[in-house]
């Protein structure tokens, strides 16, 4: 990771302002579009109306009600609180059993074409995401999925690699990369698709401290809104708003400065108990 | 074996994938048509010569990729030895090693997406009959991805077994490995769906 990092050509990475009306990549990433900055990006709009979700007999999420505009939203909660299910709902990978969900006005589960330019998700295990044997093919895959021709997709993928200072990775076999490097490939692959919202479902859990710090810095090159799901409050320090889930319900939502300390105090209190003994059912 | 990549860039990386696959088909047909021991010895020597062209690193990587063939070779030799045709067994083994080595050579010097383009081209007549070529391409990529992924998982299971047992697990790994494969498939399907699924660009056409 010691490559000199060229200045980011932000227009290659910034999401399109209007979902469903993406402009084509011109490949060189130097087209006539103005360079967007964080301030230019409209805040993402999340609207949940009585959203419930069941997995088998268990109600994982119940009656979530939310109307929120954000650039960086944190979602905290204990294991099994419904965080990952919420992440999947927000990414449109599953539909709620009841209620309505709109992200930037898009029903992401029903309208998959619009969802691709609205939301991207980074999973915990990069091995589940990576399909292709070399980096360029992997980064270009999502772009081909969005309808770009092979050559255009390759050019656009190269532009993204260059913007991340990883032009030299183009032909690198994915199997030779470290876990942290694979996570970066996943991040670049999603960012290449320029979604307005990026969901992070604890993607850096299990990585060492320097790797995590470096990946968080690369994450800063994505200029859209972020939803960061984690059980660890320190991961969410950069989020202005935090949503606290407990047993499938919203326990609290508000400024991170108030929600996170309350969450930490409650987690410390629960840690003194012994609910690990409780069996489900 | 089939998710091979080359440690060095060779001149063959620049050749069209269709040409390389075409030559591979021709060579394989030729190998299958010949029965003479001398021919197969020469063919194998020639193949190894091709591996030597890009240098020692490429040669060693190529040999490593062929190591997995030895159990099959052993079975063939044992069988033909028992049935009284040891020379025939040697020919079969030489033919197999040459054919796999040549196929590996193509894999090592060709990007998967270039091979998928060839599949796309070959499948075009079928597309008119309603075959979803994009789905076919992604399926091929997934099969190739899954083989090393599964063998890695099998390795983890074996270690986990050996940590608490003194005998080899053998067939007892099959049920948990099956479940792991299904679980892995679920995760991959989800990640694939997040990037547009297998329906292909048709449904996500840009305006």
């Amino acid at each position: 990771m010691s490559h000199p990092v060229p200045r980011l050509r932000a227009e290659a990475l910034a999401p399109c302002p209007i979902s469903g009306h993406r402009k084509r990549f011109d490949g060189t990433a130097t087209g006539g579009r103005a360079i967007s900055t964080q301030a230019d990006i409209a805040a993402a709009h999340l609207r949940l109306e009585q959203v419930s979700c069941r997995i088998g007999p268990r109600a994982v999420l119940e009656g979530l009600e939310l109307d929120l505009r954000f650039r960086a939203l944190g979602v905290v909660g204990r294991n099994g609180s419904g965080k990952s299910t919420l992440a999947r709902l927000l990414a449109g990978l599953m539909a709620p059993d009841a209620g309505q969900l709109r992200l930037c006005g898009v029903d992401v589960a029903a309208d998959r074409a619009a969802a691709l330019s609205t939301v991207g998700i980074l999973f915990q295990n990069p091995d589940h995401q990576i399909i292709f044997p070399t980096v360029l093919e992997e980064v270009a895959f999502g772009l081909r999925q969005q309808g770009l021709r092979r050559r255009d997709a390759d050019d656009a993928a190269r532009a993204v690699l260059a913007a991340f200072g990883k032009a030299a990775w183009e032909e690198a076999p994915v199997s030779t990369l470290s876990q942290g490097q694979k996570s970066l490939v996943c991040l670049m692959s999603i960012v290449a698709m320029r979604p307005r919202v990026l969901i992070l479902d604890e993607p850096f859990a299990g990585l060492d401290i320097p790797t995590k710090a470096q990946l968080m810095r690369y994450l800063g090159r994505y200029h859209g809104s972020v939803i960061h799901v984690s059980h660890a409050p320190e991961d969410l320090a950069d989020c202005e708003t935090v949503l606290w889930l407990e047993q499938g319900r919203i326990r609290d939502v508000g400024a991170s400065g108030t929600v996170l300390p309350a969450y930490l105090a409650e987690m410390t209190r629960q840690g003194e108990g012994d609910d690990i003994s409780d069996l489900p059912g | 074996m089939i998710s091979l990549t080359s440690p060095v860039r060779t001149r063959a990386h620049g050749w069209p994938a269709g040409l390389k696959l075409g030559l591979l088909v021709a060579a394989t047909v030729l190998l299958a048509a010949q029965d003479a021991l001398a021919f197969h010895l020469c063919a194998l020597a020639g193949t190894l010569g091709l591996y030597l062209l890009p240098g020692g690193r490429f040669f060693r990587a190529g040999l490593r990729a062929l190591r997995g063939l030895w159990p099959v070779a052993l079975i063939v030799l044992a069988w033909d030895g028992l049935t009284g045709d040891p020379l025939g067994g040697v020919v079969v083994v030489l033919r197999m090693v040459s054919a796999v080595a040549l196929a590996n050579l193509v894999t090592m010097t060709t990007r998967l997406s270039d091979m998928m383009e060839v599949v796309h081209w070959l499948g075009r007549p079928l597309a008119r009959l309603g075959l979803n070529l994009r789905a076919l391409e992604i399926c091929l990529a997934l099969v190739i991805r899954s083989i090393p992924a599964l063998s890695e998982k099998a390795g983890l299971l074996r270690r986990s077994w050996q940590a608490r047992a003194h005998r080899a697990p053998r067939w007892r790994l099959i049920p948990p490995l099956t479940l792991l494969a299904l679980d892995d498939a679920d995760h991959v399907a989800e990640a694939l769906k997040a990037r547009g699924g297998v329906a292909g660009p048709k449904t996500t056409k840009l305006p």
Side-chain angles (χ1 to χ4, degrees):
Chain A
M1 302 246 177
S2 58
H3 300 283
V5 178
R7 207 184 117 66
L8 175 68
R9 289 179 291 192
E11 77 277 21
L13 307 181
C16 280
I18 309 162
S19 64
H21 292 276
R22 296 163 47 85
K23 285 187 182 174
R24 263 174 188 272
F25 259 111
D26 64 358
T28 59
T30 52
R33 294 171 56 189
I35 290 183
S36 39
T37 64
Q38 189 79 33
D40 296 335
I41 311 292
H45 183 199
L46 171 61
R47 206 182 156 110
L48 305 178
E49 285 172 38
Q50 287 303 313
V51 167
S52 297
C53 196
R54 309 183 74 82
I55 294 180
R58 199 166 74 91
V60 185
L61 293 171
E62 263 193 296
L64 302 193
E65 190 81 33
L66 201 64
D67 192 342
L68 203 63
R69 286 177 193 279
F70 63 92
R71 288 213 175 78
L73 169 68
V75 179
V76 277
R78 291 187 63 179
N79 298 334
S81 60
K83 300 190 300 294
S84 279
T85 305
L86 181 61
R88 275 155 184 71
L89 285 177
L90 294 176
L93 299 177
M94 55 197 281
D97 291 311
Q100 289 248 326
L101 185 154
R102 290 272 188 285
L103 188 58
C104 302
V106 175
D107 181 347
V108 283
D111 187 355
R112 290 303 299 156
L116 282 192
S117 52
T118 304
V119 60
I121 182 167
L122 213 52
F123 296 102
Q124 189 170 345
N125 189 346
D127 289 322
H128 289 148
Q129 186 175 319
I130 296 176
I131 301 171
F132 288 87
T134 63
V135 173
L136 185 77
E137 291 172 284
E138 181 63 26
V139 177
F141 171 70
L143 296 163
R144 294 229 35 215
Q145 291 283 89
Q146 285 181 311
L148 289 202
R149 276 192 313 235
R150 166 81 190 280
R151 196 159 300 186
D152 296 339
D154 279 357
D155 287 344
R158 279 193 194 96
V160 172
L161 289 180
F164 275 82
K166 299 288 164 284
W169 285 23
E170 187 177 318
E171 295 292 334
V174 174
S175 56
T176 62
L177 300 181
S178 72
Q179 208 64 4
Q181 288 171 329
K182 284 182 188 172
S183 294
L184 183 54
V185 170
C186 290
L187 175 65
M188 292 189 292
S189 306
I190 300 295
V191 167
M193 296 173 78
R194 304 201 295 170
R196 297 187 65 195
V197 181
L198 177 61
I199 300 174
L200 309 170
D201 188 7
E202 311 210 35
F204 309 140
L207 295 173
D208 61 36
I209 297 168
T211 308
K212 197 167 161 179
Q214 291 171 27
L215 282 169
M216 287 304 282
R217 218 163 51 233
Y218 279 111
L219 188 62
R221 294 169 181 232
Y222 166 71
H223 283 222
S225 301
V226 172
I227 300 177
H228 197 154
V229 177
S230 178
H231 67 276
E234 65 268 19
D235 289 346
L236 309 180
D238 295 337
C239 297
E240 82 249 21
T241 312
V242 170
L243 170 68
W244 174 2
L245 281 181
E246 194 166 84
Q247 294 180 352
R249 294 172 185 276
I250 296 177
R251 163 87 181 246
D252 199 2
V253 58
S256 61
T258 39
V259 178
L260 285 179
Y263 169 75
L264 195 58
E266 176 63 14
M267 291 306 105
T268 311
R269 190 189 70 75
Q270 289 186 17
E272 285 159 8
D274 187 40
D275 64 7
I276 200 171
S277 304
D278 301 344
L279 293 174
Chain B
M1 209 184 298
I2 49 181
S3 67
L4 287 172
T5 45
S6 163
V8 290
R9 194 174 166 81
T10 66
R11 231 181 301 166
H13 274 88
W15 300 353
L19 173 73
K20 283 183 274 188
L21 287 171
L23 286 173
L24 176 64
V25 170
T28 311
V29 168
L30 195 64
L31 284 171
Q34 297 289 329
D35 283 324
L37 180 64
F39 172 84
H40 283 287
L41 282 172
C42 292
L44 184 61
T47 307
L48 292 178
L50 287 178
Y51 271 93
L52 270 172
L53 285 179
R57 238 178 110 202
F58 187 91
F59 183 70
R60 280 192 297 277
L63 286 190
R64 254 200 310 280
L66 288 174
R67 269 194 315 208
L69 285 178
W70 73 263
V72 187
L74 209 66
I75 292 169
V76 171
L77 288 176
W79 175 257
D80 283 320
L82 283 176
T83 53
D85 185 19
L87 207 64
V90 172
V91 167
V92 169
V93 168
L94 286 175
R95 180 187 287 143
M96 173 184 74
V97 174
S98 298
V100 174
L102 286 171
N104 280 355
L105 206 56
V106 174
T107 315
M108 286 171 85
T109 57
T110 312
R111 281 169 53 183
L112 180 58
S113 49
D114 288 335
M115 283 208 242
M116 278 167 37
E117 288 289 304
V118 177
V119 172
H120 194 97
W121 180 75
L122 289 172
R124 224 181 280 167
L126 294 174
R128 287 203 199 104
L129 302 173
L131 178 76
N132 181 350
L133 283 179
R134 186 70 180 147
L136 181 68
E137 289 169 19
I138 293 174
C139 283
L140 283 178
L142 284 175
V143 168
I144 290 175
R145 171 214 167 273
S146 300
I147 290 167
L150 282 180
S151 66
E152 194 187 315
K153 282 198 193 326
L156 287 175
L157 275 179
R158 193 175 305 116
R159 273 206 289 282
S160 161
W161 176 284
Q162 282 165 344
R164 286 175 292 164
H166 50 82
R167 272 189 297 178
R170 279 191 272 269
W171 62 270
R172 276 165 293 213
L173 279 190
I174 295 170
L177 187 61
T178 309
L179 292 176
L180 268 185
L182 291 174
D183 185 55
D184 189 53
D186 266 348
H187 284 297
V188 173
E190 196 169 46
L192 193 57
K193 188 178 178 190
R195 288 197 289 167
V198 291
K202 264 185 200 153
T203 54
T204 59
K205 200 83 189 162
L206 292 176

